[in-house]
Amino acid sequence: MQNLIESYEEIDEEHRLQSSLARRVEFISTVEALTPFYFSKMKILDVGCGTGIYSLYFSKKGADVTAIDLVPKHIRRLEELINKEKIFIDSYVGNAVDLSRFDDESFDMVLCLGPLYHLISSDDRQKCLNECIRVTKAKGIIAFAYISPYSVFPCVLRGNLSRISKELMKKIVDDKKISSDDSCCFWTDNYFYSPDDIEIWLKNNDLIIEDHLASDGQSIAFQTVVNSMNDSEFEIWLEYHRKTCRIPSLLGTSNHGLIITRKKV
């Protein structure tokens, strides 16, 4: 966990989803997909909130938001933004595998839009899932973001072709995980889900799948083109993305996926 914290201390997570047009697609898609399940004053827990882009968005819409993140830097920045915006969000430094500060069935919606990327232990992933389910009300919504192995390898090579190796390809595509201790690690601990794998896992834990989409679709793969678009061109791209982001054969080509589930009674 310390390696993960140090990795995020070094990057600009605050502006990641707004840093370019291609990156904005993930935020826009996530908000649009969650909106049908939102109601005024609903209680939301944002697990792995980063610097709070979704916490701030839903708080401004009138939700009662609680946010938790492993990285102290993120929570410090979120608290600065809360004060600046003059809104109220309960925020804590904490671990997604232990939500014991919260009672059972406390929240109408739980957002887990980051932790599953970095929990390479199956026990930790299951603990995170169990905790998210526990604190969600009956019939409540739990949203999970994941990273597909099929998009990661080409994205890593696009950033630095010197990283190419059979070992890295095997770690990502076959093993679906890479540790910060691996010689070919390009960032930090990462776990990758195929669209089928995450659906099966969540269904096996008695969650009902309400929606499943490719959050950024082909936007990252074609980011040079997307980032060069003017406003009207970008709106056409977004319309194309909306028409294609739920096609099953395209889910795994997206860098990020979003799967929205409902807890049974």
Side-chain angles (χ1 to χ4, degrees):
M1 286 299 177
Q2 187 57 38
N3 179 276
L4 180 60
I5 292 171
E6 290 173 357
S7 297
Y8 271 101
E9 291 279 1
E10 295 175 359
I11 66 172
D12 181 12
E13 178 64 15
E14 179 182 354
H15 299 104
R16 179 178 65 86
L17 292 176
Q18 302 292 345
S19 62
S20 69
L21 291 178
R23 293 289 181 186
R24 281 177 57 196
V25 173
E26 181 187 348
F27 174 75
I28 292 168
S29 297
T30 300
V31 166
E32 288 182 350
L34 290 171
T35 295
F37 304 99
Y38 173 79
F39 57 85
S40 181
K41 298 183 181 180
M42 77 184 309
K43 294 191 66 176
I44 296 177
L45 176 63
D46 191 356
V47 181
C49 63
T51 58
I53 188 169
Y54 295 107
S55 292
L56 292 163
Y57 176 86
F58 282 106
S59 179
K60 290 174 185 177
K61 286 180 67 70
D64 179 357
V65 179
T66 301
I68 183 171
D69 197 88
L70 184 67
V71 182
K73 169 189 169 184
H74 290 170
I75 295 301
R76 289 195 300 270
R77 180 55 180 156
L78 174 56
E79 290 172 348
E80 290 173 357
L81 293 170
I82 290 168
N83 291 332
K84 179 181 177 181
E85 300 285 349
K86 294 182 171 55
I87 57 178
F88 180 78
I89 296 173
D90 268 332
S91 58
Y92 306 94
V93 175
N95 196 320
V97 304
D98 180 9
L99 303 178
S100 56
R101 69 169 66 240
F102 307 116
D103 293 335
D104 295 357
E105 301 194 349
S106 298
F107 298 95
D108 302 296
M109 179 185 286
V110 172
L111 307 179
C112 185
L113 304 180
L116 294 185
Y117 307 169
H118 300 302
L119 297 172
I120 60 175
S121 158
S122 59
D123 287 345
D124 282 344
R125 291 194 300 277
Q126 190 63 50
K127 287 176 183 177
C128 176
L129 177 60
N130 291 346
E131 284 290 79
C132 287
I133 293 172
R134 180 185 64 79
V135 301
T136 304
K137 295 179 181 179
K139 297 186 179 181
I141 295 296
I142 315 175
F144 300 95
Y146 67 96
I147 295 177
S148 164
Y150 311 126
S151 70
V152 172
F153 187 65
C155 283
V156 170
L157 301 188
R158 185 193 62 227
N160 185 348
L161 186 57
S162 68
R163 291 170 173 160
I164 191 168
S165 69
K166 289 184 178 180
E167 180 189 10
L168 179 62
M169 181 177 63
K170 183 179 183 300
K171 288 286 184 183
I172 294 173
V173 178
D174 297 335
D175 299 345
K176 296 186 174 66
K177 67 178 178 180
I178 190 166
S179 166
S180 56
D181 295 328
D182 293 327
S183 60
C184 60
C185 185
F186 54 89
W187 181 29
T188 186
D189 293 351
N190 274 276
Y191 188 85
F192 311 109
Y193 284 92
S194 74
D196 288 342
D197 286 345
I198 196 165
E199 283 202 9
I200 291 169
W201 182 50
L202 296 177
K203 287 177 180 177
N204 286 343
N205 281 272
D206 291 327
L207 293 174
I208 301 165
I209 296 175
E210 295 281 357
D211 198 4
H212 191 178
L213 62 145
S215 309
D216 37 35
Q218 299 174 68
S219 301
I220 302 302
F222 293 96
Q223 63 180 340
T224 301
V225 175
V226 176
N227 290 337
S228 70
M229 293 176 177
N230 60 35
D231 289 349
S232 60
E233 291 167 340
F234 184 59
E235 285 304 316
I236 294 171
W237 178 260
L238 284 177
E239 187 60 25
Y240 163 77
H241 172 72
R242 293 181 183 111
K243 289 178 181 291
T244 59
C245 67
R246 290 176 174 83
I247 295 175
S249 61
L250 296 180
L251 287 176
T253 64
S254 176
N255 195 28
H256 294 84
L258 177 69
I259 188 162
I260 300 175
T261 69
R262 188 180 298 277
K263 180 177 175 179
K264 294 182 179 179
V265 177

